[in-house]
Amino acid sequence: MFQSVLRGRVWIFGDNISTDLLMPGFAAMSNPDMSPQESARYCMYSNRPGWAEQVRPGDLIVAGRNFGCGSSRPGSKVLKTLGIGAVIAESAARIFFRNSINLGFPVVACPGVLDLFAEGEELEADLRTGVIRNLSTGKTIVGSPLPEGSPPMEILKAGGLLPLLERQRQASPTL
């Protein structure tokens, strides 16, 4: 179920976090020998071993510039499997952003966000207004909102692109 306001514990990551860190090749979700849950255990394994075991559902990632750079691997699928609620980053790679929205996983660009948080603090993000609030310190910053009625918001509200298309197909069987 879609929530436009998210709250959770912050995990901090820096610049240029690649899809190879999110989804290492040996544990890619297309590996038939591993379940999605097993694959997700290796998320960030190369730069933060054991991180995936510490994540709790609803946790949020705050990151630097160019989050999700690299290949077109759907790294947000692993984050979603782990229960991460969203990524709020200085900037995100375009293909990662688009893949994330298509999978129903929120990504918000918010220049300056990395300076507002320390790991473990509590964050509140309003996806519709772009307001990002540090609940631990009371500081606020505004990122790029996903306006009501915009294609990304409609895809997120549907739970991803495929559920949105299926809903549209059912509503208009002649499509």
Side-chain angles (χ1 to χ4, degrees):
M1 175 166 227
F2 176 75
Q3 295 179 340
S4 64
V5 177
L6 305 172
R7 289 180 188 88
R9 175 178 61 158
V10 169
W11 291 97
I12 299 288
F13 288 92
D15 296 337
N16 302 312
I17 298 297
S18 74
T19 55
D20 292 341
L21 290 172
L22 296 171
M23 182 185 277
F26 71 89
M29 292 187 122
S30 60
N31 182 339
D33 297 328
M34 286 190 184
S35 70
Q37 291 73 23
E38 282 180 283
S39 295
R41 290 183 26 224
Y42 295 100
C43 183
M44 304 291 190
Y45 184 78
S46 295
N47 64 331
R48 272 181 102 164
W51 176 77
E53 285 82 30
Q54 299 172 46
V55 170
R56 296 187 309 242
D59 284 354
L60 301 161
I61 291 177
V62 169
R65 294 181 315 274
N66 204 25
F67 190 88
C69 60
S71 71
S72 61
R73 286 182 193 166
S76 52
K77 194 175 222 180
V78 174
L79 297 175
K80 194 172 179 177
T81 298
L82 287 172
I84 297 293
V87 169
I88 296 95
E90 302 277 337
S91 67
R94 288 300 306 160
I95 196 163
F96 176 81
F97 176 81
R98 193 67 229 183
N99 281 341
S100 297
I101 297 299
N102 287 345
L103 290 168
F105 182 79
V107 175
V108 176
C110 185
V113 72
L114 206 51
D115 295 332
L116 197 66
F117 288 92
E119 193 156 287
E121 291 181 328
E122 293 293 314
L123 179 150
E124 178 182 85
D126 186 324
L127 301 177
R128 288 188 170 105
T129 64
V131 173
I132 310 298
R133 179 173 287 112
N134 184 324
L135 297 176
S136 302
T137 66
K139 294 180 182 175
T140 302
I141 193 168
V142 179
S144 299
L146 300 174
E148 194 62 42
S150 69
M153 182 57 83
E154 293 307 306
I155 293 169
L156 284 176
K157 285 170 47 179
L161 183 59
L162 293 179
L164 177 66
L165 293 174
E166 180 60 26
R167 186 179 314 149
Q168 289 173 345
R169 186 191 67 77
Q170 289 175 359
S172 181
T174 57
L175 288 179

